[in-house]
Amino acid sequence: MEELDDVTVSVLNGSPPVSPRTSTPVVKKTLQLPSPPQYVIYTDTELELARKHHFEMACTGREGESAMSKELRCRLMSMYSYLQKRILNVKTPQKRQGPRPERSSSTKRRHIDFSLSDQGEDYDADSSGGSTIFLPPGSSSEDDRSVDKDSLATQARHYKTLQEMYKKPKPNQDAVCQILDLEFQARRAFIDSDILKEEDRLAKIFEAYPCFKDLHHVMDELRRILHKDNSKFLDEVKKRWADFSSMVQFYGVWRKVLKPPMSLGAVESNIALFRALPTLFPSQSAPPKKMGQASEALLHVLQPTEEPAIYLQKRTLFSPVLVFDGSRCLLAIGNTPVTTFAKEELGEGLLYLMGYYYTLHFTYPKCVATLLSVIQTEVLQDSIHERDTTGSYKRAMAEWNTFIKK
C-alpha cells in the first residue's frame, strides 16, 4: 500500500489541509556602543578621580581635553549650581541707620553713601540726626541692589572668617586687619544702625567685634572711616595733633588758663592740657553736677586711695574716658574698662578717645561737644555739617583763629 501524504490524511480525517512547513530565517541583533561612551557607570573612587582630573585640567585651561561622560558633567554642574544658590542665599540683616554725630561718611564708598538727612525745627545741634541713603548720579538702583546683595553676601563670609580667627588664643593680627578691610561696609552698616539698644550697644559690638578692644584696630578703623586709601593717615593725624597741642599750650598761657610748659614734666603737662582744653574751647552745656569739671569727660586722675572700679561704677556719662593712676592709663567706656596703655602715650590719649567715638559711633557729650568738634575739624580734618556749627563752636574757632594768625 502506498503511503498517504499529509494532505490526503487531512482530507480523510475531515480537517483542513495542512500547508507544508517552511523554515524562518533568524536575524541577529547587536548593540553598537558609541565611542567614547555616552554614559559610564562610575564607582565612588572612580568618580572622585574623574572629578579631580577634570578640575586639574580646568585649572590649566585644558578642560576640553578631559573626556568626561554626560553623567559626570551633569553631576558636576548640579554640584556647582547648588553651591552657587547657597552662596547667593546668604544674607545679612538689613538694618536702619539711626542717630549719630555728624562726621565724615567716607564719600569714596562705591555704592552707598551714608550721610545725615535734614532735620526739623526740634533738631539739637549738640546731638546727632537721622540719616539717608544717596545713590550716585546716573546709577541704576536695581543694578546697585544686585551688586550690594553680592557684596554683602561676600562680606558675610568674611565676618564668619573673622569669628573663626578669634576662637584661637592668639589670632594673626595682620590677617584680622585684612578681613576688617574687606568687611568694612557691612560692619559700618551694623554699628551705625539704631537697631541696638543704648544699654546693650557696647556689649553687642564687642561681642561681634572683639578686635575693637585693641587700640591698634580702633585707630585703623578711624583711618578706614576718614581716609581708607591713605596708609599714612594716622601718622599725619599724630603730626597734626602734636602741632595743635603745642600751639594750644601757648594759647592757654595767653588766655591765663595754663602755666608755661617749661615748668612741668611730660605727664604733668599732658594732664594740665586735658584739664584746660574744655575751658579753652567751651560748650554751652554745663557738665553733670556729680561729674564736676567738664574735663572729667576726658580724663580722670585717680587719688591714691581711689579704686578705678569704684570710680567707674559711679560714672554717669556713657562715653569713652581715660583713667590715670600715675603709672598706666585705663581706657573705659561708660562703666566698662576696655584696654590699657603706657603713661608715655598719655599725650595721644585724646586721639584714642576720638578713635572710639568714630569706631563705636558714639555721640559727643554736650559738655565737651565744642572741644571734640574742634579736634574733628582741626586735627582729623573731618568737616562738620553747617547745622552742627553751634554758636559756642563759632566763637571758639574765631578766638582760636585770631590767636594763631598773630
Side-chain angles (χ1 to χ4, degrees), residues 140-152:
S140 168
S141 59
E142 293 183 1
D143 292 343
D144 286 343
R145 282 195 295 268
S146 176
V147 175
D148 285 339
K149 180 180 178 181
D150 295 340
S151 176
L152 292 176

Side-chain angles (χ1 to χ4, degrees), residues 149-167:
K149 180 180 178 181
D150 295 340
S151 176
L152 292 176
T154 303
Q155 292 182 50
R157 295 198 298 276
H158 292 322
Y159 173 69
K160 186 176 181 181
T161 302
L162 184 66
Q163 285 184 315
E164 293 298 324
M165 287 181 177
Y166 271 87
K167 291 179 180 179

